[in-house]
Each structure stands twice: as C-alpha cells, then as structure tokens.
Amino acid sequence: MGSNSSRISDLPKNEYLKKLSGTESVSENDPFWNQLLSFSFPAPTSSTELKLLEEATISVCKSLVENNPRTGNLAALIKVFLSRTKELKLSAECQNHIFIWQTHNALFIICCLLKIFICEMSEEELQLHFTYEEKSPGSYSSDSEDLLEELLCCLMQLITDIPLLDITYEISVEAISTMVVFLSCQLFHKEVLRQSISHKYLMRGPCLPYTSKLVKTLLYNFIRQEKPPPLGSHVFPQQSDGGGLLYGLASGVATGLWTVFTLGGVGSKAAASPELPSPLANQSLLLLLVLANLTDAPDAPNPYRQAIMSFKNTQDSSSFPSSIPHAFQINFNSLYTALCEQQTSDQATLLLYTLLHQNSNVRTYMLARTDMENLVLPILEILYHVEERNSHHVYMALIILLILTEDDGFNRSIHEVILKNITWYSERVLTEISLGSLLILVVIRTIQYNMTRTRDKYLHTNCLAALANMSAQFRSLHQYAAQRIISLFSLLSKKHNKVLEQATQSLRGSVSSSDVPPPDYAQDLNVIEEVIRMMLEIINSCLTNSLHHNPNLVYALLYKRDLFEQFQTHPSFEDIMQNIDLVITFFSSRLLQAGAELSVERVLEIIKQGVVALPKDRLKKFPELKFKYVEEEQPEEFFIPYVWSLVYNSAVGLYWNPQDIQLFTMDSD
C-alpha cells in the first residue's frame, strides 16, 4: 500500500497501490508483494470508516479494473495469497506473526478489490479478470479458468482447518467476510439469482466436499461467541525504540514502508459504532444464513441447506442413512444455550426459525427440553417490543411460536413453568405467572397492536393460530390472561359494530356523484367476522377441553356476559355460541342461587364447585383446533432479500454504497 502513509487521503497517491493498479505486470515472485503486504492499521469496522476507505481507493480500483485484463496483477495477488495459505497452519502452530500478518493483509486487499469488481461488472466479466496467464499476455487460457474457484476452496479450507488463536482470529474473520463478498452479486440484482458462477462453484467440484465441515465450523463459531483478542496481541506492534525481533524483521522485509495507517489521520477518533462482542460469530452466522438460502441448482439441491436440515446431536449414536449427504454431528446442548442467549439479533432468530422448521432432530430435542422458558422468553420479549423491531423479526418470532405450539407436549408444559417478576412486561406487575399465561398475554398484545397500527392480516392469522393450537391445553390461566382474552373479544365486538354501522349508513345514503369508490365495508366486515369466529373457537376449545382447569376464564366470561348476547343468533356464530351460552347460563344460575354481593373469592369457589356438576354431554363437540405452519411458495423471494438486508446492516468490516443496492429498498424494514 504505501511508504510513510498515515492519512487516508494519501492512498490514491500511494506508490505501491499505483503499481498494483498500473499498466506494468508484476510477477507473483516479485519482492514487491512483501513490500505491499507489510502494512499495519486498525481494521476499519464502522460503515463510516469503510466508506472513507472505499472513497479514497476508488480511483486505484478503477485503474485496476481497466488495466488488470492486460497485467493480470489481481490474479498474481491471489496466487501470492494461495501460496501463503499452504503454510498458514504451520505458521499458526509456530506463532509466526509476520507470515500470518502479511497473509491477512493480502486477503484484506483481495476482499476490498473483489467487492468493487463484483459491484462494477457482471460475473462473466469478473471471471475474465481471474483467467489471465503471464505466458500469454492479453489472452485468456483454459489452464487458469479455475483461479476463482481455487480461491473459494482455499477460503473454505482456511475457515475450517486453521486453528482459532489470537494471531489467526482476524484472518478467520476476513476469510468469512471474503466469502460473503464472493456471494454478494445478489445485492446488485432486483431478481433472485437462481444460476450464477458462485452457485456453480459452491455446489459442485472441489468445494463440495467441504460443505458439512464448513457448516459445522460456522455453527460452532456462532455457539462459542469467541471475542476478538486484546488489541496488540494479533497485529505486529510498532515499538517506539525500534527494538524487538518482530519489528526489526518487519522493517527489514519492507524498508521505507508506510507508518501505522490510521483512518482519518493519526490521532483522530473513529466514528462511534456499536461493537459486537464477537465479530467472528456474527460474520459466521451471516455467511451460514446466506449459504442456507442459496437457491437449488437446476440439477441438485442446495448442499448447505441439506447439511443444516440433517445434522444430529453428538449424543445420538444412530448411524446416518446413506441417502443423507453432508451429515455431521454437533453438541445440541451448546447450540440450544447459544440460541437462547443470542435472540436479540434478527440473524439469531432467523437461525432458530431455520433449525426448528427444517431440522427435525433439532426440533425434537428442543421440544424435549425441561427449560423451554430460556428459549421462549426471549421470543416473547421480541414480540412485546414490537414497536422497536422490524416486521421481519416479528414475523420470525411469531412463526417460531406457531411451530412450537404445534406440539401438544409443549402446550401442556408451558403452563407448568412458573415465572416470577417479569420486569420487561410493564402493563401490569406480574409477580407470579405461568409461561403459558405470559405467552397468551404477549400474543394478544401483538394482535391488539396490529389492529390499531399495521393491520396486517398475515400477522393476525399467525397470532390466532398459535392461540388456537394452545387452547385445548390451557391450564390454570392467570386472571389477567383470562381478562385479556375477553378484552380482545370486546375490542373485536366494538370494531364489528362500528363497521356494521358504517356499512348500514353507506347503504342508506344517497348515491354520490363523486368518482371516488365507497369503502368496501363488506370485505372489512368479513375479515372482522373471521377473526371473531376464531376467537369464539379458541374460547370454546378451552371450555370443552379444560373447563375444570380454568375458573378464571369462566369468571371473565360471566363478568362480560353481555358481550356475547348479540352473537347468539348471528348466522356466522350461532353454532359455536351454543357451548359458550350454555356455560354462561349454567354458572349465572348458580351465582343467582348463591345470592347478591358475592366476593371474588366466593364467585371462584362457586365456579369450581359448579364445574363438577356441569353436564359435559350437553357440550357440543367440534373438530380439534390445529394449525400447522406452511412455508409460502417460493420462500426464497422473501428470505433471500431478508438475509442480504441483515448482511448489509450487520456485517462487520463490509460496506456497500446504498445507491448500488438493487435487491431491496433502503427505506424498508
């Protein structure tokens, strides 16, 4: 990069960068590479720093784009890197700081250049830049067509084989980042890419055998959440007295090298940005999600998705069927713990969804856990703070609940877990409540928020489906949870009456001469009645299956009995109202017999006694409420833009100009 360069503004004039991007070919054996790669600076992490770096080097990169087809200097740089990686494992074992440091610098430059090349040109043009042969200047030889593929395989080897030490942490992060960049061509296309050179390399040929090992390594990186080493333990330190073997060797390798390069100039402060506890874990998770959501090849399924779908617990001694490729084992207890602890991020929630939905081994293990509250509580907290979350994160959390509530064992066990002092629930002090009652409260709150704000039918449907799945297993509902169920019905009832009144007035009114069409009250009414029907079915399911376990729900029904009168003769609800009306009439009669001015405790006592006497055979049986999550057709149309938006917003050390992004709009959430 440069001699005595300390300011970012000096980079375009840097003699080493000018030579790299110039018109002269540099052999891979030239001492120039040792000089170019012997720089040290704090790696940029914030988007502000990365933007400054990109803007300062854009002229150099454009020169390289123009001259590289003739010089092949990019290919030479990659060959230098490839030759160094062959000794990287040994260098790590021998603590060869300088070798690893220079190899990291080579990869850092490659990553920066590759990102700009991918943004500036098509994949076909990019491939031409990697096929230069020095023996045939200006022409492209079939002998070197796989240099790009060789780089990708090398990165996979580096990620999976190099031991994670203080001195290898940064190069491991950089290798993962470079793989993300390699796949980032999707960002510059509005349509989902279904066939590309990157897909071809990753899904067949020499890269394919690394599939399971790569997925396993990325998962373990996420699980371990390794923090970066202390500053100075992984980059060669410049000593003020010029002493020390390390500094002396570095100075000898590159005489007259640039001094420590600091973004914005020596002594300036970097832009403030939230620091991630583990850049390696974050980057690994993003790459894993990108790989898992690649579209299938025309002749083969996505092997990375296959690996994610089929891995097993290390404690599972059964053999893998021969029909399952890319299988491996991982410690499920460690994975479960990491997933519970990391649910504050979109990407961790998306991983949890992916595993629950696609890997039956993981789903079975999680549903058998006796500490499900550790997983469910973070998901409920996401939904509770719906105003602060983007819609995709809320959807993922909600679908996770829907998948969990498909299991009857889960629906029973959550009412047996008693929680104390839920501090983040601010509407009411909850000193003691079951996990099941808390789940009901949060889902109902989400429905009410949606009714007044977003009015998203998809969100409504999934919330109600989760409640419906649980309803037959409602046990010992907290009095506040029972109240909120009836309060939601009250809100729906008022909304129904309001729309009905508006529709009636619209029909009575004279035909307007305005060209503006009247609101479609019939459709609005139909939607509200569907939701009301669902709520009545949920209440009915609880009464017919677990009435004796829920005196608080009966109490709430009796307290608001007038709400249900208008629906007794409604053709859409007449059948489902029979049981509810029977329960209200039966218990109202018993309360009447007990006299006036009864205390809450006395009413509950009468309800508990009456449950035994209620003739169960008079309750009409309805089909069991069971809803199963079914992924949309062509799910990649949703998940691929979502994953890349996470990469764009969350990746460490990567920056893309928002004006270049085509896959999603920058103002969307």
Side-chain angles (χ1 to χ4, degrees):
M1 286 193 177
S3 173
N4 300 320
S5 180
S6 59
R7 291 185 177 277
I8 199 166
S9 57
D10 294 334
L11 289 178
K13 298 174 285 186
N14 182 279
E15 59 178 291
Y16 295 100
L17 292 178
K18 286 171 74 174
K19 184 171 182 178
L20 174 67
S21 61
T23 57
E24 178 188 345
S25 294
V26 183
S27 165
E28 60 197 89
N29 300 314
D30 197 300
F32 161 80
W33 299 110
N34 278 338
Q35 297 171 332
L36 173 72
L37 302 178
S38 296
F39 65 87
S40 175
F41 66 91
T45 53
S46 73
S47 59
T48 305
E49 293 174 343
L50 290 156
K51 184 180 179 183
L52 286 171
L53 178 63
E54 183 163 312
E55 289 172 350
T57 56
I58 192 68
S59 60
V60 172
C61 292
K62 286 187 175 179
S63 295
L64 186 62
V65 169
E66 182 181 342
N67 296 321
N68 187 66
R70 292 183 297 278
T71 64
N73 286 344
L74 177 60
L77 172 61
I78 290 170
K79 288 177 182 177
V80 169
F81 170 73
L82 292 174
S83 67
R84 283 174 166 272
T85 54
K86 294 172 184 174
E87 303 174 44
L88 201 56
K89 193 171 184 179
L90 180 61
S91 298
E93 292 169 359
C94 298
Q95 295 284 306
N96 189 336
H97 289 248
I98 293 177
F99 188 88
I100 294 171
W101 159 54
Q102 290 185 329
T103 308
H104 167 268
N105 289 348
L107 184 55
F108 175 76
I109 296 173
I110 290 168
C111 186
C112 291
L113 295 174
L114 188 61
K115 186 168 69 67
I116 292 173
F117 271 56
I118 288 172
C119 179
E120 294 283 329
M121 62 189 69
S122 68
E123 280 194 309
E124 291 73 20
E125 291 174 302
L126 177 68
Q127 199 170 27
L128 292 179
H129 280 273
F130 284 78
T131 56
Y132 174 84
E133 278 291 307
E134 189 176 354
K135 62 184 179 182
S136 310
S139 65
Y140 301 101
S141 165
S142 60
D143 294 340
S144 60
E145 283 178 358
D146 292 332
L147 186 58
L148 199 57
E149 185 175 41
E150 192 176 346
L151 173 62
L152 191 55
C153 284
C154 177
L155 292 172
M156 295 172 85
Q157 282 180 299
L158 196 160
I159 294 166
T160 57
D161 293 348
I162 301 303
L164 188 61
L165 309 169
D166 280 359
I167 60 173
T168 61
Y169 189 96
E170 281 193 355
I171 196 169
S172 297
V173 174
E174 200 64 49
I176 294 168
S177 297
T178 307
M179 277 199 71
V180 171
V181 167
F182 185 82
L183 293 160
S184 67
C185 53
Q186 176 64 80
L187 280 172
F188 312 109
H189 292 80
K190 288 184 178 179
E191 305 298 325
V192 168
L193 291 179
R194 299 183 183 279
Q195 293 185 42
S196 70
I197 292 170
S198 56
H199 286 55
K200 181 186 75 173
Y201 288 150
L202 283 165
M203 295 191 188
R204 59 175 68 98
C207 290
L208 189 61
Y210 291 98
T211 297
S212 58
K213 199 172 182 182
L214 178 63
V215 171
K216 183 176 182 178
T217 301
L218 295 175
L219 274 172
Y220 268 126
N221 286 347
F222 167 72
I223 289 169
R224 288 167 180 151
Q225 295 288 316
E226 292 281 359
K227 295 181 179 179
L231 192 64
S233 63
H234 51 297
V235 178
F236 95 81
Q238 182 175 353
Q239 299 182 17
S240 57
D241 60 359
L245 176 63
L246 191 58
Y247 180 67
L249 283 172
S251 299
V253 169
T255 307
L257 281 190
W258 47 335
T259 57
V260 175
F261 169 61
T262 324
L263 289 167
V266 175
S268 66
K269 287 186 178 180
S273 62
E275 284 193 15
L276 290 165
S278 176
L280 179 66
N282 180 73
Q283 224 76 339
S284 295
L285 179 52
L286 291 172
L287 176 57
L288 182 65
L289 292 172
V290 169
L291 292 171
N293 286 282
L294 292 175
T295 55
D296 294 336
D299 55 348
N302 177 350
Y304 304 93
R305 189 182 301 122
Q306 285 184 312
I308 286 170
M309 290 172 65
S310 59
F311 70 83
K312 297 194 305 184
N313 194 353
T314 48
Q315 295 182 349
D316 187 344
S317 58
S318 62
S319 59
F320 284 101
S322 57
S323 59
I324 298 180
H326 317 298
F328 64 91
Q329 290 179 290
I330 205 164
N331 187 309
F332 276 16
N333 183 57
S334 300
L335 176 62
Y336 179 80
T337 302
L339 286 167
C340 292
E341 292 174 350
Q342 300 300 320
Q343 284 308 306
T344 52
S345 74
D346 281 68
Q347 47 267 41
T349 305
L350 181 54
L351 176 64
L352 175 57
Y353 158 79
T354 302
L355 295 177
L356 276 174
H357 177 52
Q358 298 185 0
N359 190 312
S360 59
N361 300 319
V362 172
R363 185 168 60 252
T364 301
Y365 174 85
M366 288 187 176
L367 288 168
R369 294 282 303 206
T370 57
D371 59 348
M372 276 299 290
E373 67 273 16
N374 292 336
L375 186 69
V376 175
L377 281 172
I379 299 301
L380 294 183
E381 200 167 349
I382 292 168
L383 292 175
Y384 185 79
H385 295 111
V386 59
E387 302 94 336
E388 302 166 17
R389 305 291 182 182
N390 68 69
S391 60
H392 290 352
H393 199 183
V394 172
Y395 284 145
M396 289 300 103
L398 191 53
I399 292 169
I400 287 167
L401 287 185
L402 180 55
I403 292 171
L404 293 174
T405 60
E406 291 171 13
D407 182 77
D408 285 341
F410 171 84
N411 295 331
R412 282 190 298 271
S413 65
I414 55 174
H415 293 287
E416 297 166 2
V417 178
I418 304 302
L419 308 167
K420 295 182 184 295
N421 300 317
I422 308 300
T423 54
W424 48 262
Y425 194 96
S426 59
E427 274 86 347
R428 179 165 173 157
V429 176
L430 299 175
T431 53
E432 187 172 287
I433 189 171
S434 72
L435 179 61
S437 288
L438 181 64
L439 196 159
I440 292 166
L441 285 175
V442 173
V443 171
I444 287 175
R445 185 179 183 274
T446 307
I447 294 172
Q448 291 179 323
Y449 173 84
N450 186 52
M451 285 176 65
T452 56
R453 304 284 183 87
T454 54
R455 299 183 182 181
D456 186 324
K457 186 180 178 182
Y458 179 81
L459 193 141
H460 254 16
T461 303
N462 284 285
C463 283
L464 291 167
L467 289 176
N469 284 346
M470 297 166 58
S471 59
Q473 307 291 340
F474 283 171
R475 294 288 188 276
S476 304
L477 288 184
H478 190 280
Q479 61 179 23
Y480 186 52
Q483 289 170 19
R484 299 309 295 164
I485 291 172
I486 305 304
S487 294
L488 176 57
F489 185 81
S490 174
L491 185 65
L492 291 166
S493 175
K494 290 175 184 175
K495 196 170 183 64
H496 177 268
N497 293 341
K498 183 179 178 181
V499 174
L500 192 59
E501 184 182 344
Q502 289 172 334
T504 305
Q505 289 176 353
S506 177
L507 289 172
R508 287 174 181 167
S510 58
V511 179
S512 172
S513 58
S514 171
D515 293 333
V516 180
D520 190 350
Y521 292 116
Q523 184 179 351
D524 290 347
L525 203 59
N526 184 53
V527 171
I528 294 169
E529 288 183 355
E530 281 181 13
V531 177
I532 288 175
R533 170 82 190 188
M534 191 82 156
M535 279 302 299
L536 289 172
E537 287 181 345
I538 289 166
I539 295 169
N540 178 71
S541 174
C542 177
L543 296 178
T544 54
N545 290 284
S546 54
L547 177 65
H548 54 296
H549 289 298
N550 293 291
N552 283 327
L553 182 62
V554 177
Y555 184 98
L557 270 174
L558 294 172
Y559 191 77
K560 292 283 189 179
R561 70 190 82 174
D562 295 347
L563 275 176
F564 298 89
E565 290 178 359
Q566 63 174 306
F567 299 108
Q568 289 175 3
T569 56
H570 194 293
S572 298
F573 314 121
E574 199 172 0
D575 59 335
I576 204 76
M577 278 299 303
Q578 289 180 25
N579 287 342
I580 297 172
D581 185 44
L582 174 65
V583 169
I584 290 174
T585 303
F586 177 83
F587 284 100
S588 295
S589 172
R590 293 184 76 89
L591 291 176
L592 196 62
Q593 293 171 18
E597 298 184 6
L598 300 173
S599 66
V600 173
E601 292 75 15
R602 178 61 182 143
V603 171
L604 285 171
E605 185 183 342
I606 293 168
I607 290 171
K608 290 174 184 176
Q609 292 169 352
V611 165
V612 181
L614 179 71
K616 305 292 191 302
D617 57 332
R618 289 176 58 190
L619 292 174
K620 182 180 177 182
K621 292 291 182 183
F622 286 86
E624 184 183 11
L625 290 180
K626 272 298 171 189
F627 293 88
K628 193 174 178 65
Y629 168 67
V630 179
E631 203 167 62
E632 298 283 333
E633 288 186 16
Q634 295 187 314
E636 65 274 8
E637 298 291 342
F638 168 83
F639 284 104
I640 289 177
Y642 179 33
V643 168
W644 278 104
S645 72
L646 297 180
V647 173
Y648 177 84
N649 288 306
S650 309
V652 179
L654 293 177
Y655 167 81
W656 289 275
N657 189 330
Q659 295 178 349
D660 296 329
I661 305 300
Q662 298 292 317
L663 182 61
F664 48 83
T665 54
M666 303 311 299
D667 58 348
S668 69
D669 57 10

